[in-house]
Amino acid sequence: MSVTSRNRHAWEGFWREAPDEPGAVFWDAEPDVTAAVHVALFEPHLIDPGLPLVDLGCGNGTQTRFLAQHFPRVLGADMSEAALEHARQADPAGQARYRLLDAAEKTEAQALHLELGDANVYMRGVLHQCEPDDRQPLVDSVATLVGNRGRAFLVELAEAARPVLGGLAQSPSGPPPKLAPVFRHGIAPGEVADDAVPGYLRSAGLTVLASGELPLTTTEFTPDGELIVLPSKWLLAGREG
């Protein structure tokens, strides 16, 4: 089984088990504390807001549906068919389109770029949940989708989130209920070094045009009843000139 196949198998199992209810997944926070915050950061940097917007690693489509209210053409893409089933069921009006896509496969990204042309890309929390060998190919595919005129907005957990997640996982009472399935399916969040992400972007031929730090709000609580909020970093990248 290849690295990508292992990752796909893990995600299919996770999303098949995931409930349909809003907020039932650990990172499935409401858009007003996620995508809405991100749009305010990246929209002023877009060369052309009318380009297709690809929500890469869209999962159950919570953020995709919000993005579709603000941009004319939005496509949610994920490598898990089970995730896309959740997304389509939650979007009966068809606010966005959804596509099965293994973005670590160069030919799939090239085919999508041929169909869409240059696109803006939104990717939240995908790299740190990838197998290490898939990370550079994934960012290379982001660069393919962006082309010359698009922009990519990436949000990833900061290194500082790793000990927080580790502490939750090793709690005497076990990990919180919404975090437990993540570990059970072999998905290891928080594994990318802070300086690795801009390195991946540079290797893919993209320039980091803006960056910053943000709290990443989850839908889970500590045993003491506090909402779990993790540190994250965001980057906006594209081709200069």
Side-chain angles (χ1 to χ4, degrees), residues 21 33 40 42 47 54 64 149 161 188 213 216 227 234 236:
E21 292 77 16
V33 294
F42 73 72
I47 295 174
V54 179
T64 319
R149 299 171 60 232
E213 300 180 0
L216 189 148
L227 184 65
W234 63 269
L236 182 126

Side-chain angles (χ1 to χ4, degrees), residues 6 17 21 54 71 75 83-85 104 106 120 130 177 192 194 216:
R6 286 199 302 272
E17 180 183 296
E21 292 77 16
V54 179
F71 297 94
L75 175 71
L84 295 174
E85 289 174 8
K106 180 180 179 179
N120 295 313
C130 284
V192 179
D194 291 345
L216 189 148

Side-chain angles (χ1 to χ4, degrees), residues 86-105:
H86 282 284
R88 293 184 182 109
Q89 289 174 7
D91 187 9
Q95 298 177 74
R97 294 189 298 134
Y98 301 94
R99 175 76 60 85
L100 187 67
L101 180 76
D102 183 353
E105 289 291 335

